[in-house]
Amino acid sequence: MNDLRVVAITHKNFPLETIGKFHLSDDQRKNTLSNVKDTCGMGEVMYLSTCNRVEFVFTLPHYVCPGVTAQMLKATGVELSEEEIRSIAAKAERHNGVEAAEHLLHVAASLESAIIGEREIITQLRKAYEECSALGLTGDDLRLIIRQCIQ
């Protein structure tokens, strides 16, 4: 659990237009996430995209700072200037270790949603994990935390 990390671009810190720039279509998801995983040295990666959030859930043996976040955002291939990437990386939510696990539990419980208590997020979280697992991007660490979040 110490290697669990989350980078979240959500309605709390960004306009929907910015969040939308990081939406990955089905046909680009595998290549983009594989590139992010390889570029940043992640052990596992999962991608959650909803109408008001994009979250990267991954394992990494070191703390995620704004610099690592910028590297990750650049690896997505989104067409933004260096200044825009740095600005988004600085304002993105970053969670490390136990804090990342708590964040995921809050997301699954809809405590982080624009409408507290909406039920769609749990299904979106489960589907996001299943898609990334089918693409070979996840392993046991993310499987265990997502299983706990869903339960």
Side-chain angles (χ1 to χ4, degrees):
M1 205 53 54
N2 290 333
D3 290 353
L4 183 65
R5 313 286 180 236
V6 176
V7 170
I9 301 168
T10 73
H11 61 94
K12 291 180 183 179
N13 299 335
F14 298 97
L16 295 179
E17 179 183 314
T18 301
I19 297 166
K21 291 178 181 182
F22 292 95
H23 175 75
L24 302 175
S25 64
D26 292 345
D27 61 324
Q28 68 184 156
R29 198 167 293 141
K30 179 176 176 134
N31 288 339
T32 300
L33 293 176
S34 292
N35 186 52
V36 168
K37 183 179 175 186
D38 294 342
T39 299
C40 298
M42 298 171 178
E44 303 177 38
V45 65
M46 183 185 114
Y47 168 82
L48 171 66
S49 179
T50 72
C51 61
N52 60 20
R53 74 179 53 250
V54 166
E55 300 209 12
F56 295 89
V57 181
F58 53 97
T59 58
L60 195 65
H62 55 80
Y63 182 80
V64 176
C65 64
V68 171
T69 304
Q71 178 188 24
M72 184 190 72
L73 296 178
K74 282 174 75 172
T76 65
V78 173
E79 304 243 349
L80 295 170
S81 70
E82 283 289 325
E83 184 177 318
E84 289 173 307
I85 290 282
R86 279 195 304 270
S87 175
I88 293 168
K91 291 194 309 187
E93 293 178 37
R94 287 176 302 283
H95 304 280
N96 294 279
V98 172
E99 180 185 315
E102 290 172 352
H103 171 76
L104 288 172
L105 288 167
H106 286 173
V107 168
S110 181
L111 296 174
E112 298 288 329
S113 296
I115 300 171
I116 305 294
E118 63 89 11
R119 296 190 180 272
E120 193 172 337
I121 190 67
I122 192 79
T123 301
Q124 292 167 324
L125 183 69
R126 182 183 49 78
K127 284 183 179 180
Y129 170 76
E130 289 172 352
E131 288 174 6
C132 290
S133 177
L135 295 173
L137 299 168
T138 64
D140 284 339
D141 290 336
L142 293 186
R143 179 182 59 79
L144 292 171
I145 187 64
I146 296 302
R147 189 172 99 199
Q148 289 302 308
C149 289
I150 291 170
Q151 287 178 348

